[in-house]
Amino acid sequence: MNIQEIADQLAHSGYIVLESPLEDTLLNQLLARCKDDGCSRFQAAHIGRGADKKQIASIRGDVISWLTDTHSTDAAYLALMEKLRLGLNEKLFLGLFDYECHYAIYRKGTGYAKHSDVLSGKKNRVLSSVLYLNEDWQTDDGGELILYDLAGAALKTVSPKFGTMAIFLSESFPHEVLISQRIRRSIAGWFRVSGN
Ligand code: OGA
Ligand code: MN
């Protein structure tokens, strides 16, 4: 992962799409972890928080499982993102405090309607990241991530191909996941500042 390149792009345009920042060995281990083995490790994702917390499959169709330091594969990815966190703090003075991420599986026929990653009343998500784990993804499979600017113009379309990673400023880019024609796997994560 070239941290200088990521920092430069983030400073310049607020987002970056990297085609293959990780090694295949780790990607394959992450893919193995992003499979629901029937042990209920994956749970339906929710929207909002507190009293507003809802689970509406028509808005958001993924099931998720948070990465933890106790599993070696998760720990390897968290360590990489920790390096990125420290590097970005050094270069961009973002004051990023921590990073949290979850595996996500979208069933065929689901997506995630346009939204912002900054939860209402909660401003601590600063930088969003998504790593895609889909081998042989075809254009017809859909499931693209679309980044918008704050005026609503579509800026960037990202195909969820194996190893591709998107990083963007959480507050500046509303985004959506188009309906996927195939099961779609990813790791979505957030660098946060401390506070409310
Ligand atoms: C999210 C999200 C994008 C993607 O989980 O908040 O926007 O491409 N994911 O999976
Ligand atoms: Mn999002």
Side-chain angles (χ1 to χ4, degrees):
M1 213 174 326
N2 183 338
I3 297 182
Q4 187 64 54
E5 179 200 359
I6 297 172
D8 290 346
Q9 267 296 124
L10 288 177
H12 180 257
S13 47
Y15 69 88
I16 182 168
V17 179
L18 300 152
E19 297 226 326
S20 57
L22 273 59
E23 309 237 324
D24 268 1
T25 321
L26 177 57
L27 287 173
N28 284 312
Q29 290 166 341
L30 292 167
L31 171 59
R33 285 280 290 160
C34 193
K35 292 195 173 160
D36 202 348
D37 46 18
C39 298
S40 315
R41 195 159 61 81
F42 285 79
Q43 307 278 337
H46 289 83
I47 305 154
R49 63 180 194 127
D52 288 335
K53 199 162 162 174
K54 298 187 197 96
Q55 193 232 317
I56 306 174
S58 61
I59 295 179
R60 174 169 188 188
D62 55 338
V63 290
I64 65 168
S65 172
W66 293 91
L67 278 74
T68 58
D69 257 326
T70 53
H71 190 284
S72 61
T73 298
D74 295 10
Y77 184 68
L78 290 167
L80 268 181
M81 297 310 272
E82 176 65 8
K83 249 196 219 161
L84 178 57
R85 182 182 76 82
L86 295 172
L88 292 178
N89 277 347
E90 196 182 292
K91 295 179 198 308
L92 299 177
F93 310 105
L94 289 170
L96 304 172
F97 177 80
D98 72 358
Y99 177 76
E100 59 175 9
C101 61
H102 62 60
Y103 295 102
I105 305 175
Y106 289 79
R107 283 166 296 120
K108 178 182 168 152
T110 69
Y112 193 160
K114 191 175 170 188
H115 66 279
S116 162
D117 283 345
V118 179
L119 308 175
S120 53
K122 206 177 168 184
K123 291 217 169 235
N124 63 352
R125 285 178 168 179
V126 171
L127 208 54
S128 302
S129 66
V130 197
L131 172 70
Y132 299 106
L133 298 170
N134 306 293
E135 288 167 308
D136 306 316
W137 197 264
Q138 306 295 319
T139 313
D140 287 353
D141 295 329
E144 295 93 345
L145 168 71
I146 315 277
L147 295 183
Y148 295 90
D149 67 18
L150 291 174
L155 287 181
K156 181 82 186 166
T157 299
V158 185
S159 183
K161 290 184 178 159
F162 194 67
T164 293
M165 183 185 276
I167 305 173
F168 54 94
L169 291 171
S170 306
E171 254 198 311
S172 308
F173 301 95
H175 52 280
E176 78 178 307
V177 177
L178 300 184
I179 302 287
S180 186
Q181 306 304 329
R182 251 177 74 180
I183 189 162
R184 177 191 190 273
R185 295 186 164 85
S186 60
I187 301 176
W190 298 273
F191 292 98
R192 305 185 301 177
V193 292
S194 71
N196 69 325

